[in-house]
Amino acid sequence: MSTYRDLAHRGSARATVLRTVGTRERRSHLTAPRVPTVGIDIGGTKVMAGVVDADGNILETLRTETPDKSKSPKVVEDTIVELVLDLSDRHDVHAVGIGAAGWVDADRNRVLFAPHLSWRNEPLRDRISGRLAVPVLVDNDANTAAWAEWRFGAARGEDHLVMITLGTGIGGAILEDGQVKRGKFGVAGEFGHMQVVPGGHRCPCGNRGCWEQYSSGNALVREARELAAADSPVAYGIIERVKGNIPDITGPLITELARDGDAMCVELLQDIGQWLGVGIANLAAALDPSCFVIGGGVSAADDLLIGPARDAFRRQLTGRGYRPEARIARAQLGPEAGMVGAADLARLVARRFRRANRRRVERHERYERYAEARRTNDRTSQGTQ
């Protein structure tokens, strides 16, 4: 007797080989459904959520502080769900993308380690998708920012991109031919922990001399506070500005004073920029991209930072003068890049989810037709006996 499987597949060609996830990503901007999705950007201090359309336009954003209570996974998950439900009251949300400041596994389900949150091997995607009626994607926040800059920002048209995010530390991402390169275990792009000074400053990762100890927001603030604590004459301007309260010295304040011409702040940003250029030259030797995009909060210093970085890059580049030089550009999408990229990547999940649902419905309909035909045949057979 013929089975449903026999009837469904009789005479049909074998199914085509499935495309890789990377190929689907490469074509996502052409084939993904043009539906609104939600992007979530989670950091150690804030959680930002926004509804983003298919052209990268932000329709609405919500922002809240990352909850305390030791920032437990459950409390942060509750915050994410509340933000999504709030946005879904006013928008037809089809998928949710989450950019997390931490290591995300290759399946983009578990946050293996997040330095500013209590996430250790946390199945974030499954936990959130189990509470929301839409598909969920989780990725590293630098990966989502790189995707956004490639799709909508400073790296449009580039086929080999390296993203460097300068914030508290240094994050990074690699994107080639429209694919985010996550590595075998999902944790590629942790450029900030390349060791550039053996035996140098201690890093929270446990090693010494990591790149982010010399070119990041933490490095910038550390140097300024050390000069101020030593009562250096070059620090009088910033000491006066904070009225002697050294903990009030912050990265944005240093950038502001540098723009106003404070010599010490200008020099500190030049130092950070030169270390940035050294690291970029090393990455160029290893990866040979066509473009480096510099994002994150410290990039707000613009040419005060990126100008010295370009100069140092040209001086340190292997084979300088005999090879093409990668373009170095400041990110265009600002602090919303990670959120926009997460939402756009989630659109891929929405597409696959919709296709899977459609196939489920089609299978059910085929089965119902088959079952009805069998019932009709059985009634006919019984009538002729």
Side-chain angles (χ1 to χ4, degrees):
M1 180 173 61
S2 296
T3 64
Y4 167 64
R5 183 181 297 276
D6 295 331
L7 291 176
H9 293 282
R10 183 178 296 162
S12 64
R14 296 188 66 181
T16 57
V17 177
L18 293 175
R19 294 186 179 92
T20 64
V21 171
T23 302
R24 289 197 294 265
E25 284 182 0
R26 193 156 55 244
R27 298 180 179 176
S28 68
H29 59 294
L30 299 176
T31 59
R34 297 184 62 82
V35 294
T37 50
V38 167
I40 308 284
D41 185 17
I42 307 171
T45 58
K46 54 87 180 166
V47 180
M48 181 166 56
V51 180
V52 182
D53 70 14
D55 297 314
N57 300 310
I58 301 171
L59 307 181
E60 183 183 354
T61 59
L62 298 174
R63 186 189 306 257
T64 185
E65 292 183 357
T66 305
D68 289 323
K69 298 182 181 177
S70 74
K71 298 174 182 174
S72 69
K74 177 64 164 57
V75 174
V76 179
E77 289 161 14
D78 290 343
T79 301
I80 295 169
V81 170
E82 289 169 7
L83 290 172
V84 173
L85 293 178
D86 191 348
L87 291 169
S88 67
D89 286 341
R90 297 175 296 282
H91 303 273
D92 185 16
V93 174
H94 291 256
V96 174
I98 299 173
W103 293 358
V104 178
D105 70 359
D107 293 331
R108 288 181 285 174
N109 176 28
R110 293 179 175 272
V111 180
L112 301 176
F113 173 76
H116 304 295
L117 297 165
S118 299
W119 282 339
R120 305 292 184 267
N121 202 29
E122 186 70 19
L124 182 61
R125 183 189 66 195
D126 288 348
R127 291 190 186 281
I128 298 297
S129 62
R131 299 174 62 179
L132 299 172
V134 293
V136 175
L137 172 141
V138 177
D139 208 339
N140 172 266
D141 57 349
N143 287 343
T144 63
W147 182 268
E149 292 292 341
W150 177 69
R151 286 277 283 120
F152 310 111
R156 280 175 293 184
E158 299 288 351
D159 54 2
H160 288 76
L161 158 70
V162 170
M163 178 89 181
I164 298 169
T165 56
L166 300 178
T168 303
I170 294 180
I174 307 163
L175 199 148
E176 294 182 2
D177 296 325
Q179 302 178 64
V180 176
K181 311 299 283 188
R182 297 181 176 84
K184 174 65 176 177
F185 305 108
V187 297
E190 292 295 333
F191 307 136
H193 299 289
M194 300 186 302
Q195 292 184 350
V196 296
V197 180
H201 290 296
R202 176 72 72 180
C203 180
C205 77
N207 291 326
R208 287 186 178 274
C210 292
W211 186 26
E212 69 175 39
Q213 291 305 305
Y214 299 88
S215 184
S216 67
N218 270 357
L220 181 66
V221 172
R222 181 192 67 228
E223 295 296 314
R225 289 179 177 176
E226 286 181 0
L227 286 168
D231 203 26
S232 170
V234 300
Y236 284 172
I238 200 166
I239 292 173
E240 182 179 352
R241 180 64 180 269
V242 298
K243 299 179 180 178
N245 191 10
I246 293 175
D248 287 347
I249 296 175
T250 63
L253 175 60
I254 296 168
T255 299
E256 178 188 339
L257 292 175
R259 289 198 181 110
D260 292 339
D262 183 283
M264 184 198 76
C265 294
V266 169
E267 184 176 340
L268 289 178
L269 282 169
Q270 287 174 342
D271 290 345
I272 297 296
Q274 287 170 5
W275 277 112
L276 176 60
V278 169
I280 291 174
N282 290 338
L283 291 172
L287 302 173
D288 191 29
S290 59
C291 177
F292 288 93
V293 175
I294 313 301
V298 183
S299 69
D302 207 359
D303 278 345
L304 290 168
L305 172 83
I306 296 177
R310 290 192 180 109
D311 292 340
F313 168 70
R314 294 188 184 102
R315 289 196 306 271
Q316 301 292 331
L317 181 63
T318 303
R320 52 193 173 276
Y322 297 96
R323 60 179 288 176
E325 291 185 6
R327 181 170 65 95
I328 300 176
R330 182 190 171 194
Q332 292 180 357
L333 301 182
E336 287 81 21
M339 181 188 73
V340 171
D344 197 60
L345 283 167
R347 199 163 284 108
L348 298 171
V349 181
R351 179 187 65 185
R352 294 197 287 272
F353 185 76
R354 285 153 65 105
R355 286 180 175 175
N357 276 347
R358 186 167 63 246
R359 286 194 293 269
R360 255 193 307 271
V361 171
E362 289 172 350
R363 285 196 299 269
H364 179 73
E365 290 175 347
R366 286 197 299 270
Y367 176 78
E368 286 298 321
R369 289 196 296 270
Y370 163 75
E372 181 60 31
R374 287 297 305 271
R375 288 193 291 269
T376 301
N377 288 338
D378 290 345
R379 287 194 295 268
T380 302
S381 299
Q382 292 172 2
T384 57
Q385 291 176 357

